C-alpha cells in the first residue's frame, strides 16, 4: 500500500512537472540550456516552434519543427526520422543538447545519442536558434552577444518533406551538399518514404520526383523563365516569387512569399505528389493551391522512347513524326512503354534534317548536353555534326532565345501542351522529311486512272441522288443553297440504314425530345452507337434549326463538341446522326440528388474546363466565329469517360470578319441562362455565351438551377446568392453538399470567382473565353467581380423579360429553349 502511494505521488509529481514544462518556451539553446521534452524553442517572430511531438496514430516521439500560429499541428521538419524515441517513458527524459563541439545531440531516456548534427567547426560560444523562416541554425555568439552571420549547421540544408520559403533545393557544388525533399512513409509516419524531390544534374539540370532510382515526374529543365514542363509557373505571380540559380558554386531552386503574412509551402506527400498548400483562416485548414502532376501525360515516360503525349488527343500517346510503334500490338492495346522506333535510320552523312515541334515540354535531359553561349544556328550545326544527337533546342527562351541544348541517344517523356511550351527540333533522315509530300504525289499519280473511273461513276450516282433530294427539298418550301455546301461535306445516311439502326424509330430507342424533334438511340451494322435527331415533320422552326445545325457543326471538330456523323434527307425526312454519348446530358447528373453524388469535384472541374475549351473553340479557334446562344446543362453531353461535349447548335449564329455583335428581334435561348442585354435588347455576341457559361459554371459547383433557385433568407437567384457568399467569405457554402468533403477548396473558390466574372451585367466586364480558359488553368490574379447581371432573382427576370416580349412557345418549362419575339 505504501509503495502504491509513493508511486502515485511520484506519478503526480512527474505529471505536474511535465505540465509545467509544456508551457515553457526557450529562445535559444546553448551549453547550459538544453531543450527537454515538454519544452519548446520558439522563433523570434513566433512563426515556428521546435519541440517533441507524437504523430497521430503513433506511439513514437520525434523532435520536429511546426508552425506556431495555426491550430492544426503541421510539422515541417523532423530531426530523428529513422530513430524515433520509442515510448513516452524513454522520451520523457529526452533532450536536445548543444555540446562544446558545437553540435546538437538528441539524447533518449537512457542517455544514448540517437541523432546528431554533423561536426563542422568548433567555436567558443555556440548557440542554437530557430529562425522565423523555420530554419534551425547553430551559430557562434561573439563576446558582445552579437551573432556572427555564418551558420555552423542549419536544418534548411537537410529538408524533410516540406519546401519552405527561402529554402534552397539543389546542390552546393563546392561542399557537395545535395538538398532534397524525402516524403514521409505515411501521413502518420515521418520515417523516410519512397519518394524524393530533387534537382537532377545529369545533363541540363531539371527538377524531378523520384521513387528510388526511378523518375516519376519531371518539372523539366529550367528555360530561363520557368521549368519547361510547368507552364503555370508565371514570373509575375502576385503570391510568390521564385528563381533558379546556376553558377560555378551552386545550382538551386528557391521561392519567397510576396506577403509574409501568408502561410504557404510546397510538400511532397507520401504518394509522391508535389503540392503547394496555403493556410486559409476562413476554412481553418490547408487549401491546395497547385499540384505539379496535373494529367496523365505527367506520368514519366508514359509513351516510351520517341513517343509524345498530348492530353487533348485520344489516345494521348503518339509516335513522333518519322517514328513508328516498336510493338504495334502492345501500342494498339494502349501499352505504350516500348515506345517508338525510327522508320529510317539517320544517315549521319549530311543526309539528315530537322522537324520542328512547338508547345513542347522538353524531353528528359539526363542524356543532354548544353552550352549557354551558342546561338540556335550553331546548335543546329552542332547537332548535325554529332551522329548521336537526336534533337536540339534553345536553352534560355528569354529575349528571343539563347544557348543550346542537345539530346543524345533518346527522347523520352515529351509532352505537347495546347498553347505553352517550347520549340524542339527533332532530327530525321531527310527522306522522312519529304515523305509526306512524296507519298501524296505517288498516290496521286498511281491512282490517277482509278480516280477518273471513280469520278465518272460517283458523278452518276450523285446526280441520281441529287435528283432524289431535290424532290424532297422542293416540298420544304425554302431554298437550300446555304446548307448545300455543308451537307455536301457530310456523309449522307440512307433512311433504311437509320430505320434499321433505331428499330424503326421505336419508343424503346427514344432518348428524349431535342430542340426540334425526338432523339433516338441507334446502332449501326458495324456496332457503332449513334444518336439520331429526327425533325418533327410539322415543325417549321425545326427546319430552320436543322439547317442551322448542319451549317454550324458540319465543319467543326473539337473534342468538346459533339460529333456530327452525317445526315439523312429523304422526301419529308430530315435527320442528323451524332456519335452516341453514353452518359447523356450533364443536367441528369447535377440536378439529380443521387447521381450528383457520383460527380466529385475533380470530375466537375474537368467538365467545367472541357466546356470552356469547347466554347473557346467556337468563339475563337474555329474557322467561323460561332455564338452558341443556348449553352445550358441539358446541352452538355457526357461520353463514357464523362468528357463534356457541347451539343445542339440549332440556335447558333456565326459571325464573319470583324463582326462581333448582332441584334435580333427573335430572342432564342433558355431563361436563367440568357444574358441581360440579350434577353432584354436582343443583343448577342460571344459575351452572351460567356454569361451562359458563367451560369452553367455556378450550377455545376452548386448542383442548383439558376432559374427556380430559392433561398429561405433572401430572394436572389443563384448568381446573387453566389455573389453574396463570395463577398462574405463563405464561398464554399455554395458547393453541392453531396460532394465529398475532401475537395480542392482553392479550385472551387477560383471557379466560383470566374463564374461570377462571367455573369457581370456589362458584357465588357465579362472575360473572353480565352481568359476564362487561362484563368481556370493557372493561378493568374482575378479581378474582383461586381454585382452580377440579373442579380435580383427570377421575379425580376421574368417581369423584365415578359414586358414587351411574347414567347412563341406556350409550353416553356425551366429547361425549355424559348423563342421570344420582341414587341419593339
Ligand atoms: O438528357 P438526355 O438523356 O440526353 O435527353 C436528351 C435527349 O436526347 C434530347 O436531346 C439525348 N441526346 C441528345 N443527343 C445525344 C447523343 N449524341 N448521345 C446521347 N444522348 C443524346 C439528351
Amino acid at each position: 500500500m505504501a509503495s502504491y502511494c509513493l508511486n502515485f505521488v511520484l506519478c503526480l509529481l512527474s505529471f505536474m512537472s511535465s505540465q509545467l514544462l509544456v508551457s515553457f518556451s526557450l529562445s535559444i539553446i546553448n551549453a547550459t540550456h538544453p531543450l527537454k521534452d515538454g519544452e519548446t524553442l520558439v522563433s523570434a517572430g513566433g512563426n515556428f516552434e521546435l519541440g517533441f511531438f507524437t504523430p497521430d496514430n503513433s506511439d513514437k516521439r520525434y523532435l520536429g519543427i511546426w508552425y506556431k500560429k495555426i491550430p492544426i499541428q503541421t510539422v515541417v521538419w523532423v530531426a530523428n526520422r529513422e530513430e524515433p524515441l520509442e515510448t513516452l517513458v524513454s522520451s520523457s527524459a529526452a533532450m536536445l543538447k548543444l555540446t562544446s563541439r558545437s553540435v546538437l545531440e538528441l539524447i533518449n531516456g537512457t542517455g544514448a545519442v540517437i541523432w546528431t548534427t554533423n561536426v563542422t567547426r568548433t567555436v567558443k560560444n555556440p548557440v542554437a536558434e530557430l529562425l522565423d523562416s523555420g530554419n534551425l541554425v547553430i551559430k557562434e555568439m561573439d563576446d558582445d552577444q552579437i551573432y556572427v552571420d555564418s551558420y555552423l549547421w542549419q536544418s534548411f540544408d537537410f529538408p524533410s518533406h516540406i519546401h519552405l520559403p527561402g529554402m534552397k533545393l539543389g546542390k552546393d557544388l563546392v561542399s557537395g551538399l545535395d538538398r532534397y525533399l524525402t516524403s514521409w512513409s505515411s501521413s502518420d509516419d515521418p520515417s523516410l518514404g519512397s519518394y524524393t524531390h530533387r534537382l537532377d544534374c545529369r545533363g541540363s539540370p531539371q527538377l524531378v520526383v523520384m521513387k528510388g532510382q526511378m523518375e516519376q515526374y519531371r518539372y523539366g529543365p529550367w528555360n530561363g523563365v520557368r521549368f519547361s514542363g510547368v507552364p503555370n509557373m508565371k514570373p509575375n505571380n502576385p503570391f510568390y516569387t521564385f528563381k533558379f540559380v546556376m553558377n560555378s558554386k551552386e545550382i538551386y531552386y528557391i521561392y519567397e512569399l510576396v506577403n509574409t503574412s501568408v502561410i504557404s509551402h510546397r510538400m511532397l506527400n507520401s504518394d509522391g505528389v508535389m503540392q503547394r498548400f496555403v493556410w486559409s483562416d476562413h476554412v481553418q485548414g490547408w487549401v491546395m493551391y497547385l499540384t505539379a502532376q496535373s494529367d496523365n501525360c505527367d506520368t514519366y515516360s508514359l509513351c516510351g522512347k520517341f513517343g509524345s503525349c498530348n492530353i487533348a488527343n485520344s489516345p494521348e500517346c503518339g509516335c513522333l513524326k518519322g517514328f513508328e510503334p516498336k510493338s504495334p500490338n502492345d501500342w494498339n492495346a494502349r501499352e505504350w512503354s516500348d515506345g517508338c522506333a525510327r522508320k529510317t535510320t539517320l544517315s549521319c552523312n549530311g543526309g539528315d534534317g530537322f522537324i520542328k515541334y512547338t508547345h513542347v515540354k522538353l524531353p528528359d535531359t539526363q542524356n543532354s548536353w548544353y552550352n549557354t553561349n551558342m546561338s540556335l544556328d550553331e546548335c543546329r550545326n552542332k547537332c548535325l555534326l554529332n551522329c548521336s544527337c537526336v534533337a536540339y533546342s534553345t536553352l534560355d527562351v528569354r529575349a528571343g532565345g539563347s544557348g543550346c541544348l542537345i539530346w543524345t541517344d533518346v527522347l523520352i517523356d515529351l509532352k505537347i501542351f495546347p498553347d505553352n511550351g517550347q520549340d524542339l527540333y527533332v532530327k530525321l533522315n531527310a527522306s522522312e522529311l519529304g515523305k509526306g509530300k512524296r507519298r501524296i504525289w505517288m498516290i496521286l499519280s498511281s491512282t490517277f486512272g482509278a480516280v477518273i473511273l471513280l469520278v465518272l461513276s460517283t458523278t452518276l450516282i450523285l446526280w441520281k441522288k441529287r435528283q432524289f433530294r431535290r424532290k424532297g427539298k422542293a416540298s420544304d418550301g425554302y431554298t437550300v443553297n446555304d446548307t448545300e455546301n455543308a451537307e455536301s461535306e457530310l456523309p449522307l445516311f440512307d433512311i433504311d440504314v437509320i430505320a434499321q439502326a433505331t428499330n424503326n424509330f421505336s419508343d424503346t430507342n427514344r432518348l428524349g425530345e431535342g430542340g426540334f424533334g425526338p432523339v433516338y438511340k441507334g446502332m449501326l451494322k458495324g456496332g457503332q452507337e449513334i444518336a439520331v435527331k429526327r425533325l418533327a415533320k410539322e415543325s417549321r422552326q425545326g427546319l430552320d434549326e436543322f439547317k442551322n445545325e448542319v451549317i454550324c457543326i458540319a465543319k467543326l471538330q473539337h473534342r468538346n463538341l459533339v460529333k456530327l456523323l452525317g445526315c439523312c434527307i429523304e422526301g419529308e425526312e430530315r435527320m442528323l446522326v451524332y456519335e452516341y454519348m453514353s452518359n447523356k446530358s450533364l443536367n441528369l447528373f447535377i440536378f439529380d440528388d443521387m447521381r450528383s453524388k457520383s460527380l466529385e469535384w475533380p470530375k466537375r472541374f474537368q467538365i467545367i474546363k472541357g466546356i470552356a475549351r469547347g466554347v473557346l473553340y467556337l468563339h475563337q479557334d474555329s474557322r467561323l466565329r460561332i455564338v452558341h446562344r443556348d449553352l445550358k446543362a441539358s446541352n452538355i453531353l457526357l461520353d463514357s469517360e464523362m468528357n463534356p461535349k457541347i451539343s445542339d447548335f440549332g440556335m447558333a449564329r456565326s459571325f464573319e470578319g470583324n463582326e462581333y455583335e448582332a441584334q435580333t428581334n427573335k430572342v432564342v435561348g433558355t431563361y436563367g441562362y440568357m444574358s441581360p442585354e440579350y434577353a432584354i435588347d436582343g443583343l448577342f455576341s460571344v459575351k452572351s455565351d460567356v454569361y451562359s457559361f458563367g451560369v452553367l459554371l455556378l450550377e455545376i459547383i452548386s448542383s442548383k438551377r439558376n432559374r427556380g433557385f430559392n433561398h429561405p433568407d433572401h430572394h436572389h437567384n443563384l448568381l446573387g446568392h453566389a455573389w453574396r457568399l463570395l463577398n462574405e467569405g463563405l464561398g464554399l457554402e455554395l458547393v453541392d453538399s453531396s460532394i465529398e468533403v475532401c475537395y480542392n477548396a482553392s479550385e472551387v473558390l477560383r471557379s466560383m470567382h470566374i463564374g461570377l466574372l462571367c455573369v457581370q451585367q456589362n458584357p465588357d466586364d465579362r472575360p473572353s473565353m480565352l481568359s476564362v480558359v487561362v484563368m481556370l488553368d493557372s493561378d493568374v490574379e482575378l479581378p474582383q467581380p461586381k454585382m452580377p447581371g440579373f442579380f435580383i432573382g427570377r421575379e425580376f427576370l421574368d417581369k423584365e423579360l415578359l414586358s414587351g416580349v411574347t414567347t412563341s412557345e406556350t409550353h416553356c418549362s425551366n429547361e425549355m429553349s424559348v423563342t421570344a419575339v420582341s414587341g419593339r
Side-chain angles (χ1 to χ4, degrees):
M1 179 68 182
S3 105
Y4 175 82
C5 281
L6 186 63
N7 273 345
F8 176 76
V9 171
L10 283 176
C11 279
L12 194 67
L13 280 176
S14 116
F15 173 77
M16 284 167 63
S17 68
S18 77
Q19 291 304 297
L20 286 174
L21 287 173
V22 163
S23 57
F24 194 76
S25 299
L26 307 176
S27 57
I28 55 162
I29 300 171
N30 61 19
T32 48
H33 287 105
L35 178 82
K36 297 182 187 141
D37 192 357
E39 296 176 335
T40 59
L41 178 68
V42 177
S43 65
N47 281 346
F48 288 93
E49 199 165 27
L50 168 84
F52 292 83
F53 73 98
T54 302
D56 289 343
N57 308 314
S58 166
D59 57 358
K60 302 196 167 115
R61 208 142 168 82
Y62 298 87
L63 176 77
I65 299 171
W66 55 86
Y67 290 98
K68 183 165 172 57
K69 289 183 176 166
I70 61 173
I72 299 175
Q73 190 181 54
T74 307
V75 175
V76 298
W77 180 80
V78 183
N80 52 326
R81 295 181 71 170
E82 294 294 90
E83 289 288 344
L85 297 157
E86 279 303 331
T87 64
L88 288 175
V89 177
S90 70
S91 78
S92 62
M95 66 167 87
L96 180 68
K97 207 173 108 182
L98 187 60
T99 71
S100 55
R101 290 183 310 143
S102 311
V103 297
L104 282 167
E105 284 180 350
L106 179 58
I107 296 168
N108 71 10
T110 64
V113 177
I114 60 162
W115 175 87
T116 177
T117 60
N118 52 346
V119 184
T120 48
R121 61 196 156 95
T122 304
V123 294
K124 207 168 85 197
N125 204 359
V127 291
E129 187 192 354
L130 180 59
L131 305 183
D132 230 19
S133 57
N135 192 7
L136 174 66
V137 299
I138 306 174
K139 46 191 196 175
E140 182 177 12
M141 196 155 62
D142 76 5
D143 293 342
D144 301 323
Q145 306 272 303
I146 297 168
Y147 296 133
V148 176
D149 194 20
S150 91
Y151 307 136
L152 304 177
W153 177 91
Q154 56 177 331
S155 62
F156 269 20
D157 281 344
F158 305 92
S160 289
H161 66 318
I162 282 187
H163 185 196
L164 288 171
M167 192 183 249
K168 293 175 179 177
L169 212 68
K171 296 197 174 165
D172 184 321
L173 301 174
V174 180
S175 66
L177 180 76
D178 189 5
R179 304 178 198 92
Y180 59 90
L181 307 184
T182 309
S183 64
W184 283 26
S185 288
S186 74
S187 56
D188 297 333
D189 180 0
S191 65
L192 296 176
S194 318
Y195 298 93
T196 55
H197 172 50
R198 55 172 73 231
L199 200 67
D200 179 354
C201 291
R202 298 168 291 182
S204 177
Q206 52 181 356
L207 264 187
V208 290
V209 172
M210 299 188 74
K211 185 174 188 182
Q213 293 305 307
M214 308 287 285
E215 275 158 293
Q216 300 291 302
Y217 167 72
R218 288 185 318 114
Y219 282 70
W222 183 258
N223 65 16
V225 179
R226 62 172 70 91
F227 292 105
S228 158
V230 194
N232 55 10
M233 273 181 98
K234 303 267 161 61
N236 50 357
N237 187 311
F239 164 47
Y240 60 93
T241 56
F242 53 85
K243 67 178 174 185
F244 183 73
V245 174
M246 185 155 112
N247 54 40
S248 57
K249 292 190 176 139
E250 49 188 352
I251 309 177
Y252 63 86
Y253 169 67
I254 193 169
Y255 74 93
E256 299 281 358
L257 297 173
V258 173
N259 178 350
T260 47
S261 65
V262 172
I263 301 179
S264 172
H265 59 238
R266 300 171 71 233
M267 182 177 105
L268 175 63
N269 75 16
S270 44
D271 296 322
V273 179
M274 269 312 294
Q275 293 164 327
R276 175 178 284 284
F277 288 93
V278 182
W279 175 259
S280 160
D281 278 335
H282 165 60
V283 178
Q284 281 294 292
W286 289 103
V287 172
M288 196 177 74
Y289 182 77
L290 275 180
T291 179
Q293 292 99 318
S294 61
D295 58 47
N296 216 15
C297 285
D298 285 328
T299 310
Y300 179 74
S301 184
L302 183 75
C303 307
K305 292 175 185 171
F306 297 107
S308 77
C309 194
N310 185 342
I311 204 66
N313 292 345
S314 179
E316 53 268 52
C317 281
C319 284
L320 292 174
K321 224 175 185 164
F323 292 79
E324 59 196 358
K326 219 168 172 181
S327 316
N329 289 343
D330 290 350
W331 189 270
N332 292 337
R334 304 173 79 96
E335 169 45 59
W336 300 301
S337 55
D338 263 2
C340 309
R342 266 183 209 286
K343 289 182 187 164
T344 315
T345 48
L346 292 174
S347 96
C348 281
N349 208 2
D352 299 325
F354 295 93
I355 179 164
K356 179 179 175 181
Y357 282 85
T358 54
H359 305 321
V360 168
K361 168 183 175 174
L362 295 180
D364 193 344
T365 49
Q366 50 169 297
N367 294 313
S368 71
W369 172 92
Y370 65 95
N371 175 295
T372 50
N373 300 320
M374 282 164 79
S375 70
L376 198 61
D377 272 348
E378 288 167 332
C379 195
R380 183 178 195 275
N381 290 337
K382 173 115 189 147
C383 186
L384 274 178
L385 292 173
N386 178 348
C387 197
S388 55
C389 172
V390 288
Y392 73 94
S393 160
T394 299
L395 187 65
D396 189 327
V397 297
R398 288 172 298 181
S402 63
C404 172
L405 180 54
I406 276 178
W407 283 261
T408 48
D409 199 12
V410 290
L411 296 178
I412 206 159
D413 199 33
L414 187 158
K415 176 176 175 178
I416 310 276
F417 293 114
D419 44 14
N420 277 293
Q422 288 172 240
D423 296 343
L424 177 75
Y425 301 84
V426 178
K427 201 194 228 177
L428 289 182
N429 187 304
S431 64
E432 285 296 332
L433 293 167
K435 233 175 198 171
K437 282 181 204 153
R438 217 178 27 247
R439 190 175 293 148
I440 290 170
W441 179 239
M442 275 169 63
I443 291 168
L444 278 178
S445 54
S446 66
T447 54
F448 188 64
V451 168
I452 289 181
L453 257 179
L454 204 71
V455 165
L456 281 175
S457 49
T458 319
T459 315
L460 197 68
I461 293 166
L462 278 179
W463 179 76
K464 284 211 149 201
K465 220 163 188 167
R466 194 160 279 194
Q467 292 286 87
F468 186 65
R469 280 165 54 184
R470 282 255 155 81
K471 265 190 236 157
K473 278 172 191 160
S475 62
D476 295 331
Y478 78 99
T479 55
V480 293
N481 291 345
D482 40 1
T483 51
E484 207 155 76
N485 272 344
E487 281 170 16
S488 61
E489 287 187 18
L490 263 185
L492 278 174
F493 280 81
D494 198 287
I495 184 130
D496 296 336
V497 171
I498 297 186
Q500 200 179 10
T502 57
N503 274 330
N504 229 348
F505 304 102
S506 75
D507 276 351
T508 45
N509 282 47
R510 199 179 165 113
L511 291 167
E513 197 70 20
F516 55 71
V519 182
Y520 297 88
K521 181 179 175 183
M523 189 184 283
L524 296 175
K525 267 215 174 111
Q528 183 176 11
E529 291 188 310
I530 53 171
V532 180
K533 262 194 198 177
R534 188 184 198 187
L535 172 66
K537 288 192 184 113
E538 67 287 358
S539 170
R540 165 74 225 196
Q541 187 194 333
L543 198 56
D544 289 341
E545 287 177 18
F546 174 90
K547 174 181 146 189
N548 203 44
E549 179 127 15
V550 172
I551 295 170
C552 278
I553 196 174
K555 294 176 185 171
L556 302 184
Q557 277 222 357
H558 187 269
R559 67 197 306 254
N560 297 113
L561 301 190
V562 69
K563 194 166 171 194
L564 183 61
L565 301 175
C567 65
C568 169
I569 302 175
E570 283 193 28
E572 297 271 278
E573 289 286 2
R574 298 283 176 277
M575 280 177 259
L576 292 176
V577 182
Y578 300 89
E579 57 177 344
Y580 178 68
M581 297 288 118
S582 56
N583 276 310
K584 314 267 185 58
S585 65
L586 177 63
N587 64 336
L588 297 183
F589 279 86
I590 56 175
F591 302 137
D592 179 275
D593 288 348
M594 284 310 294
R595 298 182 90 192
S596 67
K597 282 199 177 74
S598 65
L599 206 57
E600 288 173 356
W601 172 251
K603 258 278 125 45
R604 290 186 198 224
F605 194 43
Q606 188 194 323
I607 289 171
I608 292 169
K609 292 209 239 178
I611 302 170
R613 282 189 218 117
V615 184
L616 172 63
Y617 173 77
L618 293 178
H619 287 186
Q620 192 171 315
D621 297 337
S622 67
R623 281 192 297 163
L624 310 161
R625 190 177 314 117
I626 289 173
V627 181
H628 186 281
R629 293 209 296 173
D630 202 16
L631 286 174
K632 57 181 174 182
S634 58
N635 280 344
I636 305 298
L637 300 176
L638 300 165
D639 70 7
S640 56
E641 285 162 12
M642 298 295 281
N643 295 310
K645 314 253 178 179
I646 300 168
S647 75
D648 210 334
F649 287 74
M651 300 184 185
R653 284 285 173 272
S654 62
F655 284 99
E656 278 170 16
N658 295 329
E659 213 186 348
Y660 288 94
E661 187 185 64
Q663 189 161 26
T664 179
N665 59 4
K666 192 175 164 196
V667 174
V668 294
T670 303
Y671 292 156
Y673 292 94
M674 275 191 244
S675 65
E677 75 280 4
Y678 181 47
I680 295 168
D681 297 319
L683 276 173
F684 65 91
S685 65
V686 284
K687 291 295 182 77
S688 33
D689 273 357
V690 171
Y691 183 94
S692 311
F693 172 81
V695 175
L696 187 52
L697 201 165
L698 296 172
E699 289 186 334
I700 296 173
I701 296 174
S702 63
S703 289
K704 301 222 165 46
R705 292 179 200 275
N706 182 32
R707 193 172 151 83
F709 176 83
N710 281 314
H711 196 277
D713 302 338
H714 57 70
H715 290 96
H716 305 313
N717 59 10
L718 180 66
L719 315 186
H721 179 59
W723 192 65
R724 273 175 60 138
L725 289 178
L726 196 73
N727 280 341
E728 288 164 14
L730 302 172
L732 293 177
E733 284 187 15
L734 188 75
V735 180
D736 178 1
S737 53
S738 66
I739 296 186
E740 274 282 308
V741 278
C742 187
Y743 53 81
N744 184 328
S746 70
E747 271 173 13
V748 173
L749 289 173
R750 195 170 172 83
S751 303
M752 182 175 169
H753 195 141
I754 295 168
L756 285 168
L757 290 172
C758 292
V759 295
Q760 294 291 285
Q761 171 82 27
N762 182 346
D764 293 338
D765 288 340
R766 295 174 210 150
S768 67
M769 256 355 261
L770 178 62
S771 307
V772 170
V773 168
V774 171
M775 290 190 290
L776 284 169
D777 273 332
S778 70
D779 47 12
V780 289
E781 202 177 359
L782 304 178
Q784 216 37 48
K786 297 182 213 154
M787 185 193 280
F790 285 146
F791 165 85
I792 307 171
R794 57 187 288 233
E795 295 88 9
F796 171 80
L797 167 60
D798 293 351
K799 238 191 292 161
E800 280 287 321
L801 256 181
L802 298 176
S803 62
V805 166
T806 51
T807 60
S808 67
E809 302 261 0
T810 49
H811 55 280
C812 52
S813 69
N814 276 347
E815 273 303 308
M816 185 64 79
S817 305
V818 295
T819 303
V821 184
S822 166
R824 277 176 296 271

